């Protein structure tokens, strides 16, 4: 009986010790040093060069397809297929913000490698929220500025303008001015949307490019090549749709396409250059990546929900056509699901 009691006491003591020291044991697993299972710089460099070519082609194709399809009469704005394609692109961008970027931002800014004031507060969510609010304010101020400028230009210089012509002609001219202002306001809004959206995508693309370029593990890079290629392709489709609606001139379109297509490959090249000195677990790297990813996530989530989805899903043409409404909702779900699957496939 004494042996049984002794074993019981020993077991109880061990259980108590495990409970007491569990936080220490768990915390001991945390490290702020880079850990690679298979360091092979030569093989990793070959995969990085393949990634640069693959992502460059995928990005260019994705952003150019909507621009080419924009010349097809059946896919013009306000057409049924246009609503469906735009809903799919919005789903891609929304999932990118929520699933690909924001979790990485939380991981970076909640790392045990960071000290005060970063610990104990959800900075990733806070920065994302402020980025979304900042995007709203910037859009409102930019659109308001352009509208006020148009109103000043449209004011009659000569007071006799109102007296000239018949009353019917005056009403017709007034209606034409209102219609012209409406079209101009929509164009300005679409241009602001395309520029802010590209900013959010580019910030994220630079971060993931540098992270991939600095990695020395072929096992880490191989699955990312296909995942990031599809990721950039779908993101490019969303951005290309917004650029096509903005009706830029050929030169501006070329600049925006090149800027998007080259961002991630450039980030990879920078990562390759700093791979010998870059430590992804250093406090500086964690803070920079976390802040940029948080801001990018906030911008993309706002753009997808407010600028891309809300305006289209509240459009009378969509609401009065049940088949079109159903198709757009399905396209939204397919777009978001596609990026969610990529996150699982590529390890997000």
């Amino acid at each position: 009986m004494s042996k049984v009691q002794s074993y019981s006491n020993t077991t109880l003591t061990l259980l108590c010790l495990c409970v007491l020291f569990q936080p220490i044991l768990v915390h001991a697993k945390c490290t702020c040093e880079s850990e690679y299972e298979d360091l092979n710089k030569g093989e990793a460099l070959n995969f990085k060069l393949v990634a640069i070519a693959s992502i460059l082609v995928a990005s260019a194709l994705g952003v150019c397809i909507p621009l080419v399809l924009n010349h097809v009469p059946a896919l013009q704005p306000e057409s049924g297929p246009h609503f469906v394609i735009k809903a799919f692109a919005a789903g891609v961008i929304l999932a990118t913000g929520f699933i690909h970027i924001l979790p990485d931002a939380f991981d970076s800014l909640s790392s045990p490698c960071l000290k005060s004031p970063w610990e104990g507060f959800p900075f990733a969510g806070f920065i994302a929220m402020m980025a979304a609010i900042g995007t709203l304010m910037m859009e409102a101020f930019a659109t308001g500025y352009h509208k006020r400028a148009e109103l000043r230009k449209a004011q009659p210089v000569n007071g006799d303008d109102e007296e000239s012509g018949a009353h019917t002609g005056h009403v017709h001219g007034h209606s034409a001015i209102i219609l012209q202002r409406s079209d101009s306001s929509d164009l300005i809004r679409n241009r602001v949307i395309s520029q802010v959206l590209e900013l959010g995508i580019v910030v994220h693309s630079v971060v993931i490019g540098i992270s991939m370029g600095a990695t020395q593990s072929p096992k880490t890079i191989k699955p990312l090549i296909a995942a990031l290629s599809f990721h950039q392709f779908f993101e490019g489709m969303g951005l290309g749709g917004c650029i096509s609606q903005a009706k830029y001139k050929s030169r501006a379109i070329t600049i925006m396409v090149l800027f998007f297509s080259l961002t991630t490959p450039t980030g990879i090249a920078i990562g390759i250059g700093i791979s010998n000195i870059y430590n992804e677990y250093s406090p500086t790297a964690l803070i920079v990546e976390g802040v940029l990813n948080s801001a990018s996530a906030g911008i993309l989530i706002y753009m997808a929900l407010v600028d891309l989805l809300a305006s289209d899903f509240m459009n009378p043409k969509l609401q009065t056509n049940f088949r079109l409404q159903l198709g757009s909702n399905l396209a939204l779900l397919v777009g978001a699901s596609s990026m969610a699957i990529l996150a699982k496939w590529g390890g997000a």
Side-chain angles (χ1 to χ4, degrees):
M1 194 67 184
S2 60
K3 280 188 175 182
V4 173
Q5 187 176 3
S6 175
Y7 285 136
S8 299
N9 290 337
T10 304
T11 304
L12 183 61
T13 303
L14 289 173
L15 286 173
C16 290
L17 288 172
C18 286
V19 171
L20 288 172
F21 287 101
Q22 184 183 13
I24 298 174
L25 292 172
V26 172
H27 190 69
K29 293 180 181 179
C30 171
T31 178
C32 296
E33 299 297 329
S34 300
E35 291 183 357
Y36 298 116
E37 295 180 1
D38 59 330
L39 287 174
N40 190 328
K41 293 184 179 181
E43 187 179 359
L45 180 60
N46 291 334
F47 283 123
K48 291 172 191 176
L49 296 177
V50 172
I52 289 176
S54 175
I55 292 172
L56 178 63
V57 172
S59 300
L61 281 175
V63 74
C64 288
I65 285 175
L67 297 173
V68 174
L69 293 179
N70 190 48
H71 297 287
V72 179
L75 298 177
Q76 292 297 311
E78 297 299 317
S79 66
H82 181 268
F83 281 106
V84 175
I85 293 172
K86 195 173 175 183
F88 174 84
V92 167
I93 293 168
L94 187 63
T96 299
F98 272 120
I99 299 177
H100 287 256
I101 308 179
L102 198 56
D104 288 345
F106 272 103
D107 287 343
S108 296
L109 297 183
S110 62
S111 171
C113 303
L114 298 181
K115 306 302 180 184
S116 180
W118 297 98
E119 54 188 2
F121 184 80
F123 275 101
F126 176 75
I127 295 170
M129 176 187 71
M130 295 307 297
I133 294 174
T135 305
L136 169 65
M137 291 180 174
M138 184 175 67
E139 281 191 7
F141 280 117
T143 306
Y145 172 80
H146 285 291
K147 283 188 176 181
R148 289 191 295 271
E150 285 183 357
L151 287 173
R152 286 194 296 269
K153 289 179 182 178
Q155 287 177 353
V157 179
N158 189 351
D160 295 335
D161 289 347
E162 294 184 0
E163 299 176 2
S164 62
H167 179 69
T168 305
H170 173 73
V171 171
H172 176 73
H174 185 66
S175 300
I177 290 173
I178 292 175
L179 182 60
Q180 186 178 1
R181 287 180 187 171
S182 176
D183 292 341
S184 180
S185 297
D186 289 341
L187 182 62
I188 291 168
R189 182 173 177 274
N190 287 330
R191 289 186 174 181
V192 171
I193 289 172
S194 63
Q195 290 169 2
V196 176
L197 180 61
E198 178 152 23
L199 173 64
I201 292 175
V202 161
V203 168
H204 169 58
S205 298
V206 170
V207 172
I208 61 175
I210 292 176
S211 298
M212 185 179 190
T215 301
Q216 301 289 7
S217 170
K219 285 185 179 179
T220 303
I221 299 172
K222 274 195 288 187
L224 286 177
I225 295 175
L228 288 181
S229 296
F230 281 107
H231 178 279
Q232 293 298 108
F233 176 80
F234 287 134
E235 267 191 354
M237 288 188 66
L239 178 62
C242 291
I243 294 175
S244 66
Q245 281 191 296
K247 298 179 180 178
Y248 286 108
K249 293 182 179 179
S250 299
R251 182 181 177 185
I253 291 175
T254 303
I255 292 173
M256 295 186 76
V257 168
L258 287 175
F259 199 60
F260 168 75
S261 302
L262 294 172
T263 302
T264 303
T266 302
I268 296 174
I270 294 172
I272 293 172
I274 64 173
S275 59
N276 292 328
I277 60 173
Y278 180 79
N279 178 12
E280 61 181 331
Y281 296 106
S282 70
T284 302
L286 289 169
I287 291 171
V288 171
E289 287 183 17
V291 170
L292 291 178
N293 277 335
S294 300
S296 178
I299 292 172
L300 295 183
I301 290 169
Y302 169 85
M303 299 293 293
L305 289 174
V306 178
D307 289 329
L308 301 181
L309 290 175
S311 59
D312 279 0
F313 277 52
M314 294 297 112
N315 191 304
K317 182 167 184 178
L318 189 69
Q319 293 185 333
T320 55
N321 188 331
F322 176 74
R323 291 180 62 185
L324 181 58
Q325 190 175 30
L326 181 62
S328 297
N329 280 273
L330 289 175
L332 170 62
L333 293 174
V334 170
S337 300
S338 301
M339 294 304 286
I341 292 171
L342 281 180
K344 181 66 177 176
W345 180 23

